[in-house]
Short mmCIF file of all heavy atoms in Angstrom, two decimals:
data_model
loop_
_atom_site.label_atom_id
_atom_site.label_comp_id
_atom_site.label_asym_id
_atom_site.label_seq_id
_atom_site.Cartn_x
_atom_site.Cartn_y
_atom_site.Cartn_z
N ILE A 13 -40.01 78.38 -95.38
CA ILE A 13 -39.36 77.26 -94.67
C ILE A 13 -40.45 76.24 -94.39
O ILE A 13 -41.57 76.71 -93.80
CB ILE A 13 -38.64 77.76 -93.51
CG1 ILE A 13 -37.52 78.64 -93.88
CG2 ILE A 13 -38.07 76.51 -92.65
CD1 ILE A 13 -36.82 79.22 -92.63
N VAL A 20 -41.76 59.62 -95.78
CA VAL A 20 -41.93 58.85 -97.01
C VAL A 20 -42.58 57.36 -96.72
O VAL A 20 -43.28 56.93 -97.55
CB VAL A 20 -40.69 58.72 -97.86
CG1 VAL A 20 -39.62 57.79 -97.25
CG2 VAL A 20 -40.90 58.32 -99.27
N ILE A 32 -34.66 45.26 -85.71
CA ILE A 32 -34.75 44.14 -84.86
C ILE A 32 -33.82 44.37 -83.59
O ILE A 32 -32.69 44.91 -83.77
CB ILE A 32 -34.35 42.87 -85.56
CG1 ILE A 32 -35.27 42.53 -86.77
CG2 ILE A 32 -34.20 41.66 -84.63
CD1 ILE A 32 -36.56 41.91 -86.37
N THR A 36 -32.99 40.39 -78.14
CA THR A 36 -34.20 39.56 -78.06
C THR A 36 -34.68 39.05 -79.50
O THR A 36 -35.35 38.21 -79.63
CB THR A 36 -35.50 40.44 -77.54
OG1 THR A 36 -35.69 41.50 -78.56
CG2 THR A 36 -35.09 41.05 -76.18
N GLN A 38 -36.50 40.54 -81.41
CA GLN A 38 -37.85 40.90 -81.73
C GLN A 38 -37.91 42.28 -82.36
O GLN A 38 -36.98 43.02 -82.26
CB GLN A 38 -38.65 41.03 -80.41
CG GLN A 38 -38.82 39.61 -79.76
CD GLN A 38 -39.55 38.62 -80.64
OE1 GLN A 38 -40.61 38.90 -81.23
NE2 GLN A 38 -38.91 37.51 -80.84
N PRO A 39 -39.04 42.59 -83.15
CA PRO A 39 -39.08 43.91 -83.71
C PRO A 39 -39.01 44.99 -82.55
O PRO A 39 -39.57 44.73 -81.52
CB PRO A 39 -40.48 43.94 -84.37
CG PRO A 39 -40.68 42.48 -84.70
CD PRO A 39 -40.06 41.71 -83.66
N ARG A 85 -29.32 77.37 -111.05
CA ARG A 85 -29.12 76.68 -112.37
C ARG A 85 -27.55 76.75 -112.68
O ARG A 85 -27.06 77.90 -112.72
CB ARG A 85 -30.00 77.30 -113.45
CG ARG A 85 -29.67 76.72 -114.75
CD ARG A 85 -30.88 76.40 -115.63
NE ARG A 85 -30.51 76.05 -116.91
CZ ARG A 85 -31.04 76.52 -118.08
NH1 ARG A 85 -32.17 77.30 -118.07
NH2 ARG A 85 -30.67 76.10 -119.28
N GLU A 90 -23.26 73.78 -117.58
CA GLU A 90 -23.91 73.38 -118.80
C GLU A 90 -23.07 73.83 -120.05
O GLU A 90 -23.07 73.08 -120.99
CB GLU A 90 -25.34 73.98 -118.91
CG GLU A 90 -26.37 73.42 -117.87
CD GLU A 90 -27.74 74.20 -117.85
OE1 GLU A 90 -27.96 74.99 -118.82
OE2 GLU A 90 -28.39 74.07 -116.85
N LYS A 113 -25.97 68.87 -92.83
CA LYS A 113 -26.15 68.01 -91.56
C LYS A 113 -26.95 68.81 -90.41
O LYS A 113 -27.49 68.16 -89.61
CB LYS A 113 -24.67 67.64 -90.98
CG LYS A 113 -24.04 66.70 -91.86
CD LYS A 113 -24.39 65.26 -91.59
CE LYS A 113 -23.72 64.12 -92.30
NZ LYS A 113 -22.67 64.32 -93.23
N LYS A 126 -35.70 69.30 -74.73
CA LYS A 126 -37.05 69.34 -74.36
C LYS A 126 -37.38 68.17 -73.35
O LYS A 126 -38.20 68.36 -72.43
CB LYS A 126 -37.95 69.29 -75.55
CG LYS A 126 -39.36 69.71 -75.26
CD LYS A 126 -40.11 69.74 -76.60
CE LYS A 126 -41.58 69.54 -76.27
NZ LYS A 126 -42.20 68.59 -77.32
N GLY A 153 -27.86 74.24 -74.98
CA GLY A 153 -27.30 74.10 -73.73
C GLY A 153 -27.00 72.68 -73.34
O GLY A 153 -27.06 72.28 -72.16
N SER A 212 -19.94 52.67 -82.22
CA SER A 212 -19.93 51.78 -81.06
C SER A 212 -19.49 52.52 -79.71
O SER A 212 -20.07 52.29 -78.67
CB SER A 212 -18.91 50.57 -81.25
OG SER A 212 -19.33 49.89 -82.39
N VAL A 215 -22.23 55.00 -78.64
CA VAL A 215 -23.39 54.36 -78.03
C VAL A 215 -22.96 53.83 -76.60
O VAL A 215 -23.73 54.03 -75.72
CB VAL A 215 -23.77 53.20 -78.93
CG1 VAL A 215 -24.79 52.26 -78.14
CG2 VAL A 215 -24.42 53.77 -80.13
N THR A 221 -23.72 56.55 -69.27
CA THR A 221 -23.73 57.83 -68.65
C THR A 221 -25.12 58.20 -68.29
O THR A 221 -26.02 58.19 -69.19
CB THR A 221 -23.07 59.00 -69.61
OG1 THR A 221 -21.73 58.50 -70.07
CG2 THR A 221 -22.91 60.25 -68.86
N GLY A 229 -26.27 60.86 -87.18
CA GLY A 229 -26.34 61.97 -88.20
C GLY A 229 -26.79 61.46 -89.55
O GLY A 229 -26.96 62.21 -90.49
N ASP A 258 -36.03 65.42 -114.29
CA ASP A 258 -36.21 64.04 -114.86
C ASP A 258 -35.32 63.20 -113.95
O ASP A 258 -35.60 61.95 -113.87
CB ASP A 258 -35.68 64.08 -116.25
CG ASP A 258 -36.57 64.85 -117.10
OD1 ASP A 258 -37.74 64.54 -117.33
OD2 ASP A 258 -36.10 65.88 -117.71
N SER A 271 -31.85 61.18 -99.17
CA SER A 271 -33.28 61.14 -98.75
C SER A 271 -33.87 62.53 -98.68
O SER A 271 -35.01 62.78 -99.17
CB SER A 271 -33.38 60.60 -97.37
OG SER A 271 -32.69 59.36 -97.20
N ASP A 310 -28.27 43.74 -90.79
CA ASP A 310 -26.95 43.97 -90.25
C ASP A 310 -26.98 45.07 -89.19
O ASP A 310 -27.84 45.91 -89.13
CB ASP A 310 -25.99 44.32 -91.47
CG ASP A 310 -24.48 44.37 -91.06
OD1 ASP A 310 -24.13 43.79 -89.96
OD2 ASP A 310 -23.69 44.82 -91.88
N THR A 318 -25.97 48.30 -82.02
CA THR A 318 -27.15 49.00 -82.55
C THR A 318 -28.27 47.98 -82.93
O THR A 318 -27.92 46.82 -82.97
CB THR A 318 -26.93 49.82 -83.85
OG1 THR A 318 -26.63 48.98 -84.94
CG2 THR A 318 -25.68 50.70 -83.60
N PHE A 330 -16.83 45.68 -92.62
CA PHE A 330 -16.16 46.11 -93.85
C PHE A 330 -15.36 47.47 -93.52
O PHE A 330 -15.86 48.35 -92.87
CB PHE A 330 -17.16 46.45 -94.92
CG PHE A 330 -16.58 46.95 -96.20
CD1 PHE A 330 -16.13 46.01 -97.09
CD2 PHE A 330 -16.45 48.30 -96.52
CE1 PHE A 330 -15.57 46.48 -98.31
CE2 PHE A 330 -15.97 48.74 -97.71
CZ PHE A 330 -15.46 47.74 -98.60
N ASN A 334 -9.13 54.55 -97.30
CA ASN A 334 -9.11 55.91 -96.81
C ASN A 334 -9.28 56.96 -97.79
O ASN A 334 -8.43 57.89 -98.10
CB ASN A 334 -7.72 56.11 -96.05
CG ASN A 334 -7.64 55.25 -94.85
OD1 ASN A 334 -8.57 54.88 -94.21
ND2 ASN A 334 -6.41 54.77 -94.53
N GLY A 344 -23.33 50.57 -94.76
CA GLY A 344 -24.68 50.15 -95.06
C GLY A 344 -25.64 51.36 -95.52
O GLY A 344 -25.18 52.44 -95.55
N ILE A 358 -35.36 53.52 -106.77
CA ILE A 358 -34.12 54.37 -107.02
C ILE A 358 -32.96 53.50 -107.60
O ILE A 358 -33.03 52.35 -107.54
CB ILE A 358 -33.66 54.96 -105.57
CG1 ILE A 358 -33.31 53.76 -104.62
CG2 ILE A 358 -34.76 55.81 -104.94
CD1 ILE A 358 -32.61 54.24 -103.35
N LYS A 402 -25.95 64.80 -124.12
CA LYS A 402 -25.23 65.42 -125.33
C LYS A 402 -25.22 64.47 -126.46
O LYS A 402 -25.38 64.80 -127.60
CB LYS A 402 -23.84 65.74 -124.85
CG LYS A 402 -23.06 66.55 -125.78
CD LYS A 402 -21.73 67.00 -125.11
CE LYS A 402 -20.80 67.60 -126.12
NZ LYS A 402 -19.56 68.07 -125.51
N GLU A 406 -31.17 64.65 -125.81
CA GLU A 406 -32.34 64.91 -124.88
C GLU A 406 -32.12 66.13 -124.01
O GLU A 406 -31.04 66.29 -123.48
CB GLU A 406 -32.48 63.75 -123.99
CG GLU A 406 -33.13 62.45 -124.61
CD GLU A 406 -33.00 61.28 -123.72
OE1 GLU A 406 -31.88 60.81 -123.50
OE2 GLU A 406 -34.08 60.81 -123.26
#
Side-chain angles (χ1 to χ4, degrees):
I13 297 174
V20 73
I32 297 284
T36 67
Q38 293 302 308
R85 174 135 172 226
E90 285 174 20
K113 295 276 186 355
K126 197 172 152 223
S212 303
V215 168
T221 309
D258 296 299
S271 306
D310 193 9
T318 70
F330 181 82
N334 294 329
I358 64 170
K402 193 171 165 177
E406 284 172 292

